[in-house]
Amino acid sequence: MITTRTLVASLAATAALAIGLTGCSGSAAGSAATTDAATATSLSAFGDLPALEAAARAEGGLNVIALPRDWANYGAVLDAFAQKYPEITINEASPDGSSAEEIQAADTLKGQDTAPDVFDLGLAVALSSTDRFAPYQVATWADIPDALKEANGLYTGDYGGYLAVGYDPDAVPAPKKLSDLLGAAYKGKVTINGDPTQAGAAFAAVGMATVQNDGTVDDFQPGIDFFTKLNAAGNFVKIDPTPATIASGETPVVLDWDYLNVGYGKKLQGQRNWKVVVFSGAGYAGYYNQAVSKDAPHPAAARLWQEFLYSDEGQNLWLAGGARPVRAEAMTAAGTIDAKLLGALPAAPAETVVPTKEQSAAGAALLAKKWAAAVQ
């Protein structure tokens, strides 16, 4: 366990400041006309950002998948990229899909123009899918803590947060601790965001239950045991939460990332009261990850998308959605982060647990064996 004031600081020491996109030099390393975008592992392969932009514009498209517009401000992120590059048509597929479904789509559509170019994945799925990724290191690579990136750039942490509980105070009592959710007042009212064997947010919900029940992320069994009890009590609801299910009263208690729960409240303002709490004690934190498909039909656009997401502009857009951008520490040092937005984030617990890739892989393996039986 790691004690810290902020999520980023808990994961790694301050990263060295990276070269900003506006400072990339026009080297002779490559050009839009001669570079094979599908094998490019960094911006230097193209020579400079304008060359990459030209190659992406020539492709004319970008296929993204499983990016809900109300998730971490992705709507604004997509719109900003489209405004910046109007010649590149963004094709948004399966916005409510899970991380596992992203990989399934890539396998099913391989070789077709509609296959995903890029992925946004929970760590467990990213770890099991590296054979589908092309290595790519963005220009701001040095800003990203080593603990949050695969060394060759197969996948890279992008934004993160804490697992929190959102609840409607008009429907249930305010929970003070996780075990409160086992009480009769929560019968048929508690849900998580997806299936933890497929979705990163749901996986994190089991991780949070593990550490809140005096377990460690070396073994997710205490978290599985908690959900077994929650299900046996009749309190667990197998409905994926959305603003619509919250508004209808179907899911008045949601275990989800803090930024998503805060987003539900904003969207439902005037319709429902919605409170968000990160329980005291050990807080469970995690990041999602970006990856470029090795079979991307638009390989230059896929890499330009990465450069945009890891630029100051892209990172601040995620921050506007309540998520904690992976470059937050370096941007704070450089004075390029939106300090007002950063200061508005929910308070982080004093004690933070962040699973390593090995712990995530072990947790995923255990859930694959035991989850279905635990909540049947």
Side-chain angles (χ1 to χ4, degrees):
M1 293 190 179
I2 306 168
T3 302
T4 181
R5 285 194 314 111
T6 66
L7 178 55
V8 174
S10 73
L11 297 164
T14 303
L17 297 182
I19 301 172
L21 293 182
T22 56
C24 297
S25 63
S27 71
S31 71
T34 61
T35 298
D36 179 4
T39 62
T41 59
S42 70
L43 187 60
S44 63
F46 298 90
D48 55 16
L49 183 61
L52 172 57
E53 291 172 331
R57 288 187 177 104
E59 292 175 347
L62 173 69
N63 298 341
V64 301
I65 186 170
L67 301 183
R69 285 183 156 264
D70 56 359
W71 177 293
N73 205 33
Y74 253 122
V77 174
L78 290 161
D79 291 344
F81 185 86
Q83 184 175 6
K84 194 178 187 77
Y85 303 109
E87 307 89 350
I88 302 172
T89 299
I90 302 178
N91 306 299
E92 301 175 44
S94 305
D96 296 319
S98 68
S99 294
E101 288 168 342
E102 294 182 53
I103 300 302
Q104 291 166 10
D107 291 344
T108 301
L109 299 172
K110 183 177 179 179
Q112 300 182 38
D113 291 341
T114 54
D117 287 308
V118 290
F119 305 107
D120 185 302
L121 304 161
L123 182 58
V125 174
L127 288 168
S128 65
S129 308
T130 53
D131 58 336
R132 277 84 159 191
F133 306 155
Y136 188 76
Q137 297 182 2
V138 292
T140 52
W141 179 257
D143 277 1
I144 302 167
D146 289 343
L148 295 177
K149 59 190 179 188
E150 194 278 330
N152 297 310
L154 287 173
Y155 60 84
T156 309
D158 45 17
Y159 58 86
Y162 289 90
L163 214 292
V165 175
Y167 66 96
D168 182 348
D170 297 326
V172 296
K176 304 296 184 184
K177 56 186 183 301
L178 188 65
S179 60
D180 289 346
L181 301 182
L182 297 171
Y186 299 91
K187 192 172 184 66
K189 292 180 167 63
V190 183
T191 192
I192 60 178
N193 194 349
D195 181 333
T197 67
Q198 300 186 46
F203 179 89
V206 182
M208 186 268 280
T210 295
V211 299
Q212 284 281 314
N213 281 284
D214 299 323
T216 75
V217 285
D218 289 320
D219 181 3
F220 272 43
Q221 189 62 51
I224 296 172
D225 292 342
F226 171 80
F227 279 99
T228 300
K229 294 176 184 176
L230 193 72
N231 190 58
N235 295 8
F236 186 48
V237 181
K238 298 171 187 175
I239 299 175
D240 288 354
T242 67
T245 66
I246 294 170
S248 69
E250 294 176 272
T251 57
V253 182
V254 177
L255 278 66
D256 209 340
W257 295 114
D258 54 357
Y259 50 89
L260 297 184
N261 265 316
V262 169
Y264 295 148
K266 289 179 179 178
K267 191 157 189 177
L268 294 169
Q269 195 166 9
Q271 300 179 59
R272 286 278 179 181
N273 289 325
W274 193 248
K275 305 294 185 183
V276 181
V277 59
V278 176
F279 291 133
S280 60
Y284 183 99
Y287 275 83
Y288 279 82
N289 299 270
Q290 285 292 318
V292 173
S293 173
K294 71 176 184 181
D295 300 309
H298 309 101
R303 287 156 175 80
L304 182 61
W305 173 249
Q306 301 302 301
E307 295 293 353
F308 177 75
L309 293 181
Y310 290 93
S311 69
D312 292 345
E313 180 181 2
Q315 295 278 287
N316 276 318
L317 283 169
W318 273 327
L319 181 58
R324 301 162 201 266
V326 73
R327 292 182 52 235
E329 191 168 355
M331 288 171 63
T332 298
T336 58
I337 201 162
D338 188 316
K340 184 176 180 180
L341 290 174
L342 186 65
L345 292 177
E351 191 175 19
T352 295
V353 176
V354 182
T356 65
K357 64 180 182 180
E358 292 81 10
Q359 291 166 333
S360 293
L366 185 65
L367 283 164
K369 293 178 181 177
K370 296 191 173 184
W371 178 254
V375 296
Q376 66 182 3

